[in-house]
Amino acid sequence: MRNLVILSFVFASASVASAQETPIQHDAEHYLLLEQHADKWAAEDSKISETLEEIRTAQNGKPPNIVYILLDDLGFGEIGMPDLDVIRGYSTPNISELADEGLSFMRMYTEPTCTPTRVAMMTGRYAVRTGTSEAKSVVSGDGLSAWETTIAEVLSQRGYENVHLGKWHLGDIEESFAFNQGFDYAEHPVHQQGQMAIMNADAELAGASAAIAPHLRTDTYELDAGFRVKPHSMVYGIIGEKGGTAREVNFEPGEVFTQEHYMHMEENYKNRVLEEIERLADGDKPFFLNYWPQLPITLTLGNIDQAQTLNGGPMAESIAMVDGWIGEILDKIDQVGIAENTIVIVMGDNGPFMQYRWRSGQNDRIYRGGKNQHLEGGVRVNAFMRWPAAIEGGSRVQDIVHVTDLFTTLSRLSDADQYIPRDRLIDGVDQSPLIFMGDTNGRRDYVFVYEGPTLRSIVKQQFKFHLPEPGANPIAAPVFDLYKDSREERVDTSQTIPLGVGYGGLFVDMMKRHLGWKMKYPDREPGRDVPYGGIENLRPETQELVNRFVFVRELMSR
Amino acid sequence: MRNLVILSFVFASASVASAQETPIQHDAEHYLLLEQHADKWAAEDSKISETLEEIRTAQNGKPPNIVYILLDDLGFGEIGMPDLDVIRGYSTPNISELADEGLSFMRMYTEPTCTPTRVAMMTGRYAVRTGTSEAKSVVSGDGLSAWETTIAEVLSQRGYENVHLGKWHLGDIEESFAFNQGFDYAEHPVHQQGQMAIMNADAELAGASAAIAPHLRTDTYELDAGFRVKPHSMVYGIIGEKGGTAREVNFEPGEVFTQEHYMHMEENYKNRVLEEIERLADGDKPFFLNYWPQLPITLTLGNIDQAQTLNGGPMAESIAMVDGWIGEILDKIDQVGIAENTIVIVMGDNGPFMQYRWRSGQNDRIYRGGKNQHLEGGVRVNAFMRWPAAIEGGSRVQDIVHVTDLFTTLSRLSDADQYIPRDRLIDGVDQSPLIFMGDTNGRRDYVFVYEGPTLRSIVKQQFKFHLPEPGANPIAAPVFDLYKDSREERVDTSQTIPLGVGYGGLFVDMMKRHLGWKMKYPDREPGRDVPYGGIENLRPETQELVNRFVFVRELMSR
């Protein structure tokens, strides 16, 4: 449906379809929309290609740099919305300023936990398709498969230099590490930060965890010396370069994790971001800097000298601090003179960890639910994007966007969409039209929401369908009108406006199309291997953990 | 503590204390704050008097006009906050623009229902002190007493012309009508709008009410012909001038209420506001225009030709429509050239009617609870104030403000505070410092929240104390940290951070001071009389209702 000829002479500005004969392969639902809007979309796509070409020309042919900042466990209403300062008892002036200077995605959907959201952004695919839909907290010997193509790999092909700093959490096996997934250079912890922020003695003293600190227990009945969590045995943070080996840094044999280690690690990542911006700005290549702080997650008050917020909770204090860091990063981008053609995105990865909300300073917000839940509170986040060369400040769009769309859209904006693989299903759609033409020009009106490997709800337009219990009649399953019942509470149909006979059935049809399409593109297995491959300097206690893993694996294959 | 001499030569700019020997009498809690801030506050007060004098001089000696728009049943998060448009599925661009041009009170407390909030604004006193703490929905023969001094009466003494248009709901007796409470001219319904918006056949057909339309029932067993609600027997809307009699308008004997009557009434009030602004702007006097729409309350979809909002609920549509009306009013104020020296306030009167939320298009919001409840969702509202001559646009204050403070503050800003009576307790404090000096300069850090005549909770700073059940130990009653637990949900102390031993006791002390102070200033009775006194043209069915009232009153005094 697109004209494959007229644009083919300008390779650099070629649209997806003109770059390769085979278009990007999407989920069934996409083709229902394409069928209705094909002509309009094709015309818009040509126009956008021209616009992108013009912007690049104005920038000496250079596609935009990308600085992607993904904050951990921050759901909708927690950053960049000054109207809510009085509720939260803290403010995020730097993120608010970024919002004023750029575009606010008011309806950004993520997956409900860290690993799935991060995989979805990196691959443009629901995590469930990649076998990494579970957020692991212990050594697992699996992770993002080498078969998957990340946004870093796509951008590499277009000549980008890619750096990753901060949280990663896409697996503890060699192929999953960032420098083996498209980044030229990476510094990252191997696991999630619970290992550092919650599973330490400071956090145990603060009542945020239990059975961590050896001095607070005896081992009288511990027949299995390997069962109990030994967070310090797990690898801390590693550094590596593309194609090379890795080494663990800043942690010595026999050391145990403390809050101080954690804060030091986080400050270091932030400082490295500032250094890398200077270095990368000096280079000839466009760059992709992926900064995923482990903060704001922190659960002890012990490291607060003097609270800076009215709220005073450890998470609230931490959010305010990280907002200050983002201010430093934005200042640095200004100082080195690259602001105009640098896309900066700041967003949360999923809702807050509600189990900790009573001690964290986070509170119950507009939407119900949080991390790990398919409810809006789990999968709706604030997301802001600044790109002065292309986006007018103070823009705001209410169309549905899914985190996978960043993969596709950033590839397009970077003139790299021709490198998106055509041999697999890509959930992300190209939202460039939304960015260039504004509200109502989005290309998605649906989201499938998984909790781990389980499809739990389907969003279409303003409606949300919660999948019924196994065996229940899906036609009677609750369908919520998110404008009239934002908290998805009115399950009792005597308390709700019945959504017209048929809505349940329409959602069942969507579910069947989505699951049926998996016959063409089956969900895949994750990569599997011995943990911590390619790390040169494993500590003895880490090697012991690996030995246990190998023993168990052999046991299970007997 | 204030210098009573230096300012006394300029009567027009005199501060409260210099105008009269006796200062305004406040609740005990005020004096604890005054004791701590006396010198600072006195210095600020002098400065503010100078500033006000300067502003008046610049405006040819004229104090500001006041246009006060009070919207019905709109809690915090429902107007003027574009960040929340995506949640609500509607927007209020005109109110948002007003907010951008003025000051947002981010922590405005009201009382939890219509009548109490309106009495509190009009008298500067908690409604419970005036005997009008109950929002009546049927003929009651009582209302705001002539003894009370309203803001209109205060402003009258300073030479203001006062006009009231729209909802009133301060009683159905002659002395309570607006033109007997300080307004030179008034047009208002006597009762609340449930009589019109809910208790009509259209609403019954829409399922919003029952047993209203005579044709939808039989009277087979109705021994008491007077028990059932006959909304059309109650007086509809009246017009009157200061000191005169009233007449009922636009409703004929035998007519019954319809949604069309209601919408016509509301459009008429809005159009009259536009006319009155033209007339008043032409006059020599400063004016106080009190516009209290009955909308947005509406519960039928029958009058919607084409939904203008994504939400589509009758309340959501109505809010958007009223926002448009406010735009017309603001345009008119501009057109007649009085914008600079006109204070415009737009606010809600209490949270939404949660019983109707499932059909209204309103939804569960940030705070829990709604109308009739002491929870934050019942008593927190959006409030915006524009006064170009004095207030910088885009200001935002998070200090606690109570609706009674408008009485005191508007009196001060209008140079009329010397007319505030000194023989009674005034709950409202002067918040001029907050308006002129901004955030953190408020003069209140507490609110007592009543439901009807019952004290239900006490707010102090970020904490909120729910009064315990009778007989329970108040020291163990729940105290909520509103930043960490905005929805006041974590009653289970195992789920909350204990607020330190002693907080319960401190709140009990506040309660004792507040109630003890009532020995000096006891709560009063409302005015009482035969309903509808002074209305010239009572319909026969209305007279029948009055006869029944008189019969019952005599019965009860036998």
Side-chain angles (χ1 to χ4, degrees):
Chain A
M1 77 241 44
R2 298 182 194 180
N3 189 327
L4 304 187
V5 181
I6 55 165
L7 289 174
S8 58
F9 68 96
V10 250
F11 182 80
S13 71
S15 72
V16 172
S18 63
Q20 295 192 204
E21 285 292 325
T22 316
I24 295 170
Q25 298 300 298
H26 289 301
D27 203 2
E29 209 62 20
H30 172 73
Y31 298 101
L32 270 75
L33 302 183
L34 187 60
E35 167 68 17
Q36 296 172 58
H37 302 283
D39 294 341
K40 177 170 176 286
W41 287 4
E44 289 171 1
D45 283 340
S46 297
K47 184 128 193 353
I48 285 167
S49 292
E50 282 169 32
T51 304
L52 283 168
E53 173 71 13
E54 281 164 22
I55 294 169
R56 272 194 305 279
T57 304
Q59 302 295 332
N60 301 317
K62 209 172 173 182
N65 305 309
I66 299 169
V67 176
Y68 181 68
I69 304 176
L70 184 60
L71 301 170
D72 211 20
D73 289 2
L74 281 183
F76 188 81
E78 303 207 88
I79 51 171
M81 293 171 79
D83 275 350
L84 302 186
D85 287 357
V86 66
I87 293 137
R88 307 178 301 210
Y90 65 83
S91 61
T92 54
N94 293 292
I95 299 174
S96 295
E97 194 180 326
L98 182 82
D100 285 345
E101 295 168 353
L103 173 69
S104 299
F105 295 102
M106 301 303 289
R107 203 167 169 198
M108 170 67 85
Y109 281 88
T110 61
E111 304 227 14
T113 42
C114 309
T115 303
T117 289
R118 288 156 202 268
V119 166
M121 188 275 168
M122 290 306 290
T123 64
R125 292 154 51 80
Y126 290 135
V128 70
R129 301 197 194 277
T130 71
T132 61
S133 60
E134 195 185 332
K136 306 285 171 69
S137 59
V138 292
V139 169
S140 62
D142 59 13
L144 189 66
S145 153
W147 182 87
E148 299 289 341
T149 299
T150 67
I151 175 99
E153 288 166 330
V154 168
L155 293 171
S156 265
Q157 293 185 70
R158 181 59 180 80
Y160 274 65
E161 180 164 1
N162 302 323
V163 172
H164 174 85
L165 294 164
K167 176 163 176 163
W168 182 243
H169 203 192
L170 301 193
D172 56 16
I173 58 173
E174 186 170 11
E175 70 189 87
S176 71
F177 298 154
F179 47 88
N180 293 325
Q181 287 286 355
F183 289 93
D184 298 286
Y185 177 84
E187 292 183 34
H188 64 77
V190 170
H191 301 280
Q192 40 77 53
Q193 65 272 60
Q195 174 193 9
M196 296 144 203
I198 304 172
M199 290 149 72
N200 68 45
D202 299 311
E204 183 163 1
L205 289 169
S209 57
I212 303 298
H215 77 282
L216 295 174
R217 67 182 204 235
T218 73
D219 59 3
T220 313
Y221 293 105
E222 282 182 31
L223 284 191
D224 181 357
F227 172 74
R228 295 223 187 182
V229 171
K230 291 194 184 73
H232 52 282
S233 303
M234 293 156 76
V235 169
Y236 182 62
I238 58 173
I239 293 185
E241 287 182 36
K242 183 176 272 184
T245 56
R247 57 194 173 83
E248 189 183 33
V249 292
N250 296 321
F251 208 68
E252 298 303 317
E255 255 189 291
V256 298
F257 288 124
T258 64
Q259 181 72 10
E260 201 182 339
H261 277 102
Y262 180 57
M263 296 308 289
H264 173 263
M265 188 179 201
E266 283 301 283
E267 274 162 31
N268 175 62
Y269 288 137
K270 182 261 295 182
N271 291 330
R272 290 285 300 116
V273 167
L274 299 176
E275 288 168 8
E276 285 295 299
I277 288 171
E278 282 205 3
R279 186 184 69 77
L280 291 163
D282 247 6
D284 292 331
K285 291 182 167 186
F287 69 83
F288 170 40
L289 176 56
N290 207 36
Y291 173 40
W292 295 356
Q294 300 186 98
L295 291 175
I297 288 179
T298 184
L299 289 166
T300 72
L301 295 161
N303 60 312
I304 297 176
D305 289 329
Q306 171 58 54
Q308 302 297 310
T309 70
L310 292 164
N311 182 304
M315 277 291 286
E317 286 291 310
S318 179
I319 293 168
M321 186 178 73
V322 171
D323 177 74
W325 291 2
I326 290 172
E328 289 181 48
I329 291 168
L330 295 172
D331 285 348
K332 178 63 74 183
I333 290 170
D334 278 346
Q335 281 164 26
V336 299
I338 57 168
E340 179 72 8
N341 198 32
T342 297
I343 294 173
V344 179
I345 296 176
V346 175
M347 62 182 279
D349 70 339
N350 49 247
F353 216 152
M354 297 301 271
Q355 287 90 329
Y356 284 109
R357 72 192 187 282
W358 51 273
R359 63 166 55 250
S360 69
Q362 289 182 297
N363 59 29
D364 307 281
R365 299 141 307 133
I366 298 156
Y367 294 114
R368 191 163 63 90
K371 187 185 176 84
N372 296 315
Q373 293 179 290
H374 68 105
L375 298 167
E376 295 288 287
V379 295
R380 289 282 292 277
V381 298
N382 289 116
F384 310 101
M385 178 179 190
R386 188 185 77 172
W387 184 16
I391 300 175
E392 200 178 345
S395 315
R396 200 185 282 264
V397 290
Q398 293 188 201
D399 304 68
I400 292 175
V401 179
H402 187 261
V403 63
T404 53
D405 297 345
L406 292 176
F407 172 91
T408 328
T409 306
L410 289 174
S411 296
R412 177 88 188 278
L413 299 179
S414 306
D415 189 33
D417 47 340
Q418 65 269 35
Y419 305 112
I420 293 174
R422 266 60 176 178
D423 63 347
R424 62 198 69 191
L425 195 149
I426 301 290
D427 292 292
V429 298
D430 177 17
Q431 296 281 22
S432 308
L434 186 57
I435 288 165
F436 285 107
M437 295 183 287
D439 201 31
T440 74
N441 287 293
R443 295 217 174 155
R444 167 194 291 286
D445 69 349
Y446 62 92
V447 171
F448 294 92
V449 186
Y450 283 81
E451 281 179 7
T454 312
L455 182 62
R456 286 297 307 276
S457 61
I458 303 174
V459 174
K460 177 89 171 178
Q461 299 168 1
Q462 79 205 66
F463 306 113
K464 186 164 179 179
F465 172 77
H466 289 194
L467 267 70
E469 300 292 312
N473 181 353
I475 295 177
V479 177
F480 302 90
D481 180 326
L482 294 173
Y483 293 129
K484 297 197 177 84
D485 181 13
S486 306
R487 291 181 68 80
E488 299 160 82
E489 281 178 335
R490 287 165 233 159
V491 177
D492 174 2
T493 52
S494 73
Q495 286 292 307
T496 198
I497 300 175
L499 278 167
V501 174
Y503 268 100
L506 292 176
F507 277 105
V508 171
D509 283 351
M510 280 183 75
M511 180 182 72
K512 286 180 182 165
R513 286 194 293 269
H514 174 69
L515 297 177
W517 212 251
K518 292 195 180 191
M519 303 292 282
K520 292 159 58 89
Y521 295 105
D523 292 348
R524 294 180 59 91
E525 291 294 304
R528 296 190 205 279
D529 202 347
V530 173
Y532 304 139
I535 302 176
E536 299 162 3
N537 56 341
L538 289 187
R539 285 169 283 133
E541 55 268 39
T542 310
Q543 193 57 59
E544 199 181 307
L545 203 62
V546 173
N547 293 346
R548 181 179 166 98
F549 179 91
V550 171
F551 171 80
V552 171
R553 195 177 61 169
E554 279 169 9
L555 174 75
M556 297 308 292
S557 64
R558 266 181 213 166
Chain B
M1 76 240 44
R2 297 185 194 178
N3 189 325
L4 306 187
V5 181
I6 56 164
L7 288 174
S8 60
F9 69 97
V10 250
F11 183 80
S13 72
S15 71
V16 172
S18 61
Q20 296 191 205
E21 285 291 325
T22 315
I24 295 171
Q25 298 299 298
H26 288 302
D27 203 0
E29 209 61 20
H30 173 73
Y31 298 101
L32 270 76
L33 301 183
L34 187 60
E35 167 68 15
Q36 297 173 57
H37 302 284
D39 293 342
K40 177 171 177 283
W41 287 5
E44 290 172 0
D45 283 340
S46 297
K47 184 126 194 353
I48 286 167
S49 291
E50 282 168 33
T51 304
L52 284 168
E53 174 69 13
E54 280 163 22
I55 293 169
R56 272 195 304 279
T57 304
Q59 301 294 332
N60 300 318
K62 210 171 170 181
N65 305 308
I66 300 168
V67 176
Y68 182 68
I69 304 176
L70 184 60
L71 301 170
D72 213 20
D73 290 1
L74 281 183
F76 189 81
E78 304 207 87
I79 51 172
M81 293 171 79
D83 275 350
L84 302 186
D85 287 358
V86 66
I87 293 139
R88 306 179 301 211
Y90 65 84
S91 61
T92 54
N94 293 291
I95 299 174
S96 295
E97 194 181 327
L98 183 82
D100 285 343
E101 296 168 352
L103 174 68
S104 298
F105 294 104
M106 299 303 289
R107 203 167 168 198
M108 170 67 85
Y109 282 88
T110 61
E111 304 226 15
T113 41
C114 309
T115 304
T117 288
R118 288 154 203 269
V119 165
M121 188 275 166
M122 289 305 290
T123 64
R125 291 153 53 77
Y126 290 135
V128 70
R129 302 198 194 276
T130 72
T132 60
S133 60
E134 195 187 330
K136 307 284 171 68
S137 60
V138 292
V139 169
S140 63
D142 60 13
L144 189 65
S145 155
W147 181 87
E148 299 290 342
T149 299
T150 68
I151 176 99
E153 288 166 332
V154 169
L155 293 172
S156 265
Q157 294 185 69
R158 181 58 181 80
Y160 274 66
E161 180 164 358
N162 303 323
V163 172
H164 174 85
L165 294 165
K167 175 162 175 162
W168 183 241
H169 203 192
L170 301 193
D172 56 15
I173 59 174
E174 188 171 8
E175 69 190 90
S176 72
F177 297 155
F179 46 89
N180 293 324
Q181 289 283 357
F183 288 93
D184 298 287
Y185 177 83
E187 293 183 34
H188 65 76
V190 170
H191 301 281
Q192 40 75 52
Q193 64 274 59
Q195 173 195 9
M196 296 143 201
I198 305 171
M199 290 148 72
N200 68 46
D202 298 313
E204 184 164 0
L205 289 170
S209 57
I212 302 299
H215 76 282
L216 296 174
R217 69 183 202 233
T218 72
D219 59 3
T220 312
Y221 293 104
E222 282 181 32
L223 284 191
D224 180 358
F227 172 75
R228 295 227 187 178
V229 171
K230 291 195 184 75
H232 52 283
S233 304
M234 292 156 77
V235 170
Y236 182 63
I238 58 172
I239 292 185
E241 288 182 33
K242 184 176 272 184
T245 55
R247 58 195 172 81
E248 188 183 35
V249 291
N250 297 322
F251 208 68
E252 298 303 317
E255 256 187 290
V256 297
F257 288 124
T258 64
Q259 182 72 8
E260 201 182 341
H261 278 101
Y262 179 58
M263 296 308 289
H264 174 263
M265 188 180 201
E266 282 302 283
E267 275 164 29
N268 175 62
Y269 288 136
K270 182 263 294 184
N271 290 331
R272 290 286 299 116
V273 166
L274 299 176
E275 289 169 8
E276 285 295 298
I277 288 172
E278 282 206 3
R279 187 183 68 77
L280 291 163
D282 248 7
D284 292 331
K285 293 181 166 186
F287 69 83
F288 170 41
L289 176 57
N290 206 37
Y291 172 41
W292 294 356
Q294 301 186 98
L295 292 174
I297 289 179
T298 185
L299 290 165
T300 71
L301 295 161
N303 61 312
I304 298 175
D305 288 330
Q306 171 58 52
Q308 301 297 311
T309 71
L310 293 164
N311 181 305
M315 278 291 285
E317 286 290 310
S318 179
I319 292 168
M321 186 179 73
V322 171
D323 177 74
W325 289 4
I326 289 172
E328 289 181 47
I329 291 168
L330 294 172
D331 285 348
K332 178 62 74 178
I333 289 171
D334 277 345
Q335 281 164 26
V336 298
I338 57 168
E340 180 72 8
N341 198 31
T342 298
I343 295 173
V344 178
I345 296 176
V346 174
M347 62 184 278
D349 69 341
N350 48 247
F353 215 152
M354 297 300 271
Q355 287 88 330
Y356 284 109
R357 72 192 187 283
W358 49 275
R359 64 166 54 248
S360 70
Q362 289 180 296
N363 59 29
D364 306 280
R365 298 144 307 135
I366 298 156
Y367 293 115
R368 191 163 63 91
K371 187 185 177 84
N372 296 313
Q373 294 179 291
H374 68 107
L375 298 166
E376 296 288 287
V379 295
R380 289 282 293 277
V381 298
N382 290 115
F384 309 101
M385 178 179 189
R386 188 185 77 173
W387 182 17
I391 300 174
E392 201 178 343
S395 316
R396 200 185 284 261
V397 290
Q398 292 189 201
D399 304 68
I400 292 176
V401 178
H402 188 259
V403 62
T404 52
D405 298 345
L406 291 176
F407 171 91
T408 327
T409 306
L410 289 174
S411 296
R412 176 88 189 277
L413 299 179
S414 306
D415 189 32
D417 47 339
Q418 64 268 36
Y419 305 112
I420 293 175
R422 265 60 176 178
D423 64 345
R424 63 198 66 191
L425 195 149
I426 301 291
D427 292 292
V429 298
D430 178 17
Q431 296 279 25
S432 308
L434 186 57
I435 289 164
F436 285 107
M437 295 182 289
D439 200 32
T440 75
N441 287 292
R443 295 220 174 152
R444 167 194 292 286
D445 69 349
Y446 61 92
V447 170
F448 294 92
V449 186
Y450 284 82
E451 281 179 5
T454 310
L455 181 63
R456 286 297 308 274
S457 62
I458 303 175
V459 175
K460 178 88 171 177
Q461 299 168 1
Q462 80 205 67
F463 305 114
K464 186 165 180 179
F465 172 76
H466 289 193
L467 267 71
E469 299 291 312
N473 181 355
I475 296 176
V479 177
F480 302 91
D481 180 326
L482 293 174
Y483 293 129
K484 298 196 177 85
D485 181 13
S486 305
R487 290 181 68 81
E488 298 160 83
E489 281 178 334
R490 286 165 234 158
V491 179
D492 174 2
T493 52
S494 73
Q495 285 293 305
T496 196
I497 300 174
L499 278 167
V501 174
Y503 268 99
L506 291 176
F507 276 106
V508 171
D509 284 349
M510 280 184 75
M511 180 181 71
K512 286 179 180 164
R513 286 194 293 271
H514 174 68
L515 297 177
W517 211 251
K518 292 195 180 191
M519 302 291 281
K520 292 158 59 87
Y521 295 106
D523 291 350
R524 294 179 59 89
E525 292 294 304
R528 295 193 205 279
D529 202 347
V530 173
Y532 304 140
I535 301 176
E536 297 163 4
N537 57 340
L538 290 188
R539 286 168 283 132
E541 54 268 38
T542 309
Q543 193 57 58
E544 200 182 305
L545 202 62
V546 173
N547 293 348
R548 180 180 168 98
F549 179 91
V550 171
F551 170 80
V552 170
R553 195 177 60 169
E554 280 166 10
L555 173 75
M556 296 308 292
S557 63
R558 268 180 212 167

